[in-house]
Amino acid sequence: SADENRVDYLFDLAYDQGRLTIGFGDHGNEIGFGNIYDAVLEVSPWGRTCRCPCGRGIAALTKTTYLLPATVSNWGAMALANMLAALSSRADLVHTEGRQRWLQELLLEQEVIDGALLTVSRTVDSIEGDVDLAIARIMEVATRRSLSTRDSYFSPEPRRS
């Protein structure tokens, strides 16, 4: 809609300048799915015609250097953030359950619509907020475990039993 913030223009500019851009998506409407636009038109049930009054379809045009599809795009972004925290040994970069709860509250406060339900709610792609927090917690615990292990999974040294 005309009221949307158009972040896709920033991605278009960065992509056109050859800068690294990463898109996360789950249904074809997210930034990055322009990489596989024709496939979204064919595979997604709403690729050509969406459920909203515009009827234009959800297929995104914006391309990115990398497209990382995930069951829930937010969870793909969480996973990458935590992977980067683990690889860089930076506990301050871990995406925590608390941070996810804060984001949920902010989205509710700003009346952001769940795209799957087409309503404002504490859900992510129609998945209950508590489930979203549990996923964040699982990723947080796994990442902190990796960070606290002296012989990290990412260490070039062989692990000893």
Side-chain angles (χ1 to χ4, degrees), residues 5-25 29-35 60-68 77 80:
N5 292 319
R6 301 302 306 257
V7 177
D8 51 334
Y9 294 131
L10 296 175
F11 277 81
D12 289 339
L13 180 63
Y15 181 82
D16 290 345
Q17 292 177 353
R19 297 178 186 269
L20 173 66
T21 53
I22 302 173
F24 297 91
N29 60 314
E30 295 90 355
I31 288 172
F33 270 93
N35 295 14
L61 294 171
T62 304
K63 293 182 177 182
T64 55
T65 312
Y66 297 102
L67 170 62
L68 303 174
L80 179 63

Side-chain angles (χ1 to χ4, degrees), residues 74-75 78-79 82 94-101 104 129-143:
N74 304 28
W75 299 347
M78 274 191 240
N82 285 341
V94 174
H95 185 83
T96 65
E97 178 185 9
R99 189 171 290 156
Q100 189 63 18
R101 180 176 281 108
Q104 285 183 359
D130 289 344
V131 174
D132 181 51
L133 293 176
I135 295 294
R137 178 69 178 149
I138 290 166
M139 288 191 204
E140 176 186 359
V141 169
T143 305

Side-chain angles (χ1 to χ4, degrees), residues 26-86:
D26 45 47
H27 286 100
N29 60 314
E30 295 90 355
I31 288 172
F33 270 93
N35 295 14
I36 57 171
Y37 178 80
D38 292 333
V40 172
L41 291 178
E42 294 303 316
V43 174
S44 173
W46 303 291
R48 295 183 190 280
T49 306
C50 59
R51 298 180 295 166
C52 77
C54 84
R56 290 187 302 235
I58 66 161
L61 294 171
T62 304
K63 293 182 177 182
T64 55
T65 312
Y66 297 102
L67 170 62
L68 303 174
T71 303
V72 174
S73 56
N74 304 28
W75 299 347
M78 274 191 240
L80 179 63
N82 285 341
M83 181 194 70
L84 292 173

Side-chain angles (χ1 to χ4, degrees), residues 98-118:
R99 189 171 290 156
Q100 189 63 18
R101 180 176 281 108
W102 175 82
L103 285 170
Q104 285 183 359
E105 291 168 6
L106 179 65
L107 294 172
L108 275 174
E109 179 183 301
Q110 296 299 313
E111 298 183 351
V112 173
I113 294 171
D114 179 318
L117 297 177
L118 302 179

